[in-house]
């Protein structure tokens, strides 16, 4: 009898040595011996009835001792496996805080969108509302109503893509002025950003580009209001020390018309490559709305006056970010786009 008990003891020791390599396998092994129904030690207890009465006491004692011993062994084994598994987990989940972090690449808005948003911010702060017109216009809104009739030489200033004798791709966001003034009576204060199209293509011109039109119509609007607003605009975009100057120019829809220059933000006005030695950089066209244009829209030009300006968004961005070829703004080269992040 003692031999059987010893054999089981040995089987347990061998099992622990050879089969148990995790808490789960140790538990399985434990079940083989200690499960109350199927375990080998439990089975021995059941044999009690078949043992001769005089041997029962010592058999029972032997089995009980074996059971106690096995319980102890398996408890010890479980503890050992627990520590082992924890060690393995610590090893596999170890974080090396000195490893360089993975770079997370986030996109940013396109430079033209950034510039457009900055301009909208500046003028929205002065109370301008946004009006977005359409890219296809008819001749009347793009030219005639803007005091540029069919035979007017100023039409040659803009090489137009005609879709039909009547319809065209708008050459200027100024077309939006007419829509707004037809729909709304003064006071008017709108900003109209959008794409415009001209058959023009070189380092500083693209057949499609973006403009931002401004229009203010009210009583007693003068060139001083225009200069005041543009001064705020250039300071916000090009820096606090920037100023403007107005030069006489010509646009059919404004009288007087001006070309607006900013003091060179690169050299502070001393003269450099960017400003071609003049200290000034041309940035936009503007003026006092021609009375004829107000009248074309049914606005009393004796009572009301207006100011208007047209900003080229690509040009503003090129100057601000030091871009010398407009194509760089349309090619979406990631190396260029990455450098411009003013958000
Ligand atoms: N529409 C003109 C252009 O595309 C720019 C412009 C000049 C707009 C004077 C204006 C303005 O509103 O008053 O060249």
């Amino acid at each position: 009898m003692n031999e059987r008990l010893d054999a089981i003891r040995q089987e347990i020791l061998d099992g622990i040595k050879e089969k148990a390599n995790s808490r789960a396998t140790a538990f399985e092994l434990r079940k083989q011996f200690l499960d109350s129904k199927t375990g080998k030690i439990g089975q021995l207890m059941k044999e009690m009835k078949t043992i001769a009465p005089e041997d029962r006491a010592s058999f029972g004692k032997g089995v009980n001792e074996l059971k106690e011993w096995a319980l102890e062994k398996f408890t010890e084994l479980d503890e050992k496996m627990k520590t082992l598994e924890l060690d393995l987990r610590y090893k596999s989940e170890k974080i090396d805080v000195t490893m360089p972090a993975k770079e997370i690449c986030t996109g940013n808005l396109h430079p033209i969108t950034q510039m457009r948003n900055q301009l909208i911010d500046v003028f929205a702060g002065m109370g301008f509302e946004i009006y977005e017109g359409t890219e296809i216009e008819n001749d009347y809104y793009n030219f005639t109503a803007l005091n540029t009739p069919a035979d007017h030489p100023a039409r040659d200033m803009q090489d137009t893509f005609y879709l039909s004798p009547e319809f065209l791709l708008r050459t200027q966001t100024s077309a939006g002025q007419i829509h707004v003034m037809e729909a709304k009576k003064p006071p008017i204060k709108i900003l109209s950003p959008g794409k415009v199209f001209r058959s023009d293509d070189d380092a500083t011109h693209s057949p499609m580009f973006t403009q931002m039109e401004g229009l203010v119509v009210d009583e007693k609007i003068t060139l001083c209001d225009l200069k005041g607003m543009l001064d705020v605009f250039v300071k916000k975009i090009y820096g606090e020390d920037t100023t403007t100057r107005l030069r006489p120019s010509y646009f059919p829809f404004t009288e007087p018309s001006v070309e607006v220059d900013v003091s060179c933000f690169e050299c502070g006005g001393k003269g450099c490559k960017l400003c071609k030695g003049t200290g000034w950089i041309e940035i936009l066209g503007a003026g006092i709305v021609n009375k004829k244009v107000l009248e074309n829209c049914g606005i009393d030009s004796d009572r009301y006056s207006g100011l208007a300006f047209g900003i080229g968004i690509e040009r503003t961005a090129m100057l601000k970010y030091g871009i010398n070829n407009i194509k760089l703004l349309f090619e979406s080269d990631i190396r260029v786009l990455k450098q411009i992040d003013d958000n």
Side-chain angles (χ1 to χ4, degrees):
M1 185 49 63
N2 275 345
E3 281 146 31
R4 274 188 70 196
L5 297 186
D6 285 344
I8 290 179
R9 210 179 286 259
Q10 193 54 48
E11 219 183 307
I12 291 174
L13 288 174
D14 293 346
I16 288 177
K17 217 165 156 190
E18 286 151 25
K19 294 190 191 134
N21 53 14
S22 65
R23 279 190 92 188
T25 48
F27 184 70
E28 278 308 311
L29 194 65
R30 182 188 204 275
K31 257 174 38 186
Q32 280 176 30
F33 296 95
L34 288 171
D35 186 86
S36 54
K37 286 192 189 116
T38 57
K40 286 187 181 168
I41 297 175
Q43 297 292 330
L44 288 176
M45 286 296 205
K46 281 183 196 144
E47 283 174 28
M48 193 74 102
K49 320 185 211 52
T50 63
I51 305 285
E54 62 275 20
D55 295 331
R56 268 187 206 161
S58 74
F59 176 73
K61 192 167 166 253
V63 174
N64 269 333
E65 274 170 12
L66 176 63
K67 195 176 165 189
E68 287 297 314
W69 175 85
L71 268 172
E72 213 173 280
K73 279 278 164 214
F74 282 115
T75 311
E76 237 171 58
L77 181 67
D78 189 54
E79 282 303 319
K80 211 171 120 191
M81 291 299 140
K82 233 198 236 170
T83 322
L84 197 81
E85 284 187 6
L86 210 60
D87 279 354
L88 281 175
R89 239 184 84 189
Y90 283 151
K91 251 183 224 151
S92 69
E93 293 176 9
K94 197 167 159 188
I95 297 168
D96 182 353
V97 289
T98 64
M99 289 259 287
K102 267 196 200 145
E103 195 187 344
I104 299 172
C105 297
T106 50
N108 56 313
L109 294 175
H110 190 277
I112 296 175
T113 311
Q114 292 185 40
M115 198 71 247
R116 181 191 136 117
N117 290 350
Q118 287 174 35
L119 293 176
I120 289 176
D121 267 3
V122 172
F123 287 104
M126 291 188 248
F128 282 74
E129 285 173 58
I130 304 289
Y131 164 82
E132 284 192 82
T134 53
E135 288 168 14
I136 294 178
E137 271 296 356
N138 67 23
D139 189 275
Y140 177 78
Y141 287 97
N142 196 78
F143 288 125
T144 311
L146 286 162
N147 195 33
T148 322
D151 53 357
H152 199 290
R155 287 204 178 198
D156 295 344
M157 288 161 78
Q158 302 171 359
D159 243 331
T160 311
F161 290 115
Y162 278 91
L163 303 172
S164 71
E166 191 191 352
F167 290 102
L168 46 84
L169 294 178
R170 70 173 168 197
T171 59
Q172 48 189 354
T173 44
S174 306
Q177 290 187 20
I178 307 299
H179 288 290
V180 171
M181 287 192 282
E182 279 182 353
K184 199 173 175 306
K185 295 299 149 217
I188 292 170
K189 207 169 185 185
I190 59 106
L191 199 62
S192 187
K195 291 192 180 99
V196 296
F197 307 83
R198 291 180 200 175
S199 180
D200 212 352
D201 201 0
D202 60 32
T204 51
H205 296 90
S206 153
M208 187 277 291
F209 62 105
T210 328
Q211 283 188 333
M212 176 105 52
E213 192 81 10
L215 173 72
V216 180
V217 184
D218 204 346
E219 288 175 2
K220 301 193 180 81
I221 294 293
T222 69
L223 269 183
C224 289
D225 298 306
L226 175 69
K227 184 156 166 44
M229 283 177 184
L230 295 177
D231 276 344
V232 173
F233 149 62
V234 299
K235 282 183 201 311
K236 288 258 168 66
I237 300 295
Y238 294 114
E240 276 307 309
D241 298 332
T242 322
T243 53
T244 58
R245 83 173 176 186
L246 308 184
R247 272 185 298 112
S249 183
Y250 175 77
F251 298 102
F253 34 88
T254 43
E255 180 58 38
S257 302
V258 293
E259 208 77 62
V260 181
D261 295 342
V262 277
S263 55
C264 181
F265 37 83
E266 189 78 13
C267 63
K270 286 194 226 66
C272 69
K273 217 169 118 197
L274 184 68
C275 60
K276 300 189 185 95
T278 63
W280 294 94
I281 301 170
E282 183 187 316
I283 53 157
L284 58 94
I288 291 298
V289 180
N290 195 313
K291 277 174 175 269
K292 284 191 194 149
V293 175
L294 295 179
E295 280 153 21
N296 285 342
C297 303
I299 292 177
D300 180 353
S301 63
D302 289 328
R303 181 169 171 204
Y304 295 108
S305 56
L307 63 84
F309 54 86
I311 306 174
I313 296 188
E314 284 80 2
R315 183 166 165 74
T316 313
M318 286 166 76
L319 288 170
K320 179 160 187 189
Y321 302 121
I323 297 171
N324 60 7
N325 191 321
I326 195 167
K327 302 292 178 301
L328 291 171
L329 288 173
F330 296 114
E331 281 167 353
S332 295
D333 184 330
I334 200 82
R335 292 168 303 179
V336 175
L337 300 183
K338 259 187 174 170
Q339 293 178 50
I340 300 167
D341 190 2
D342 261 356
N343 291 307

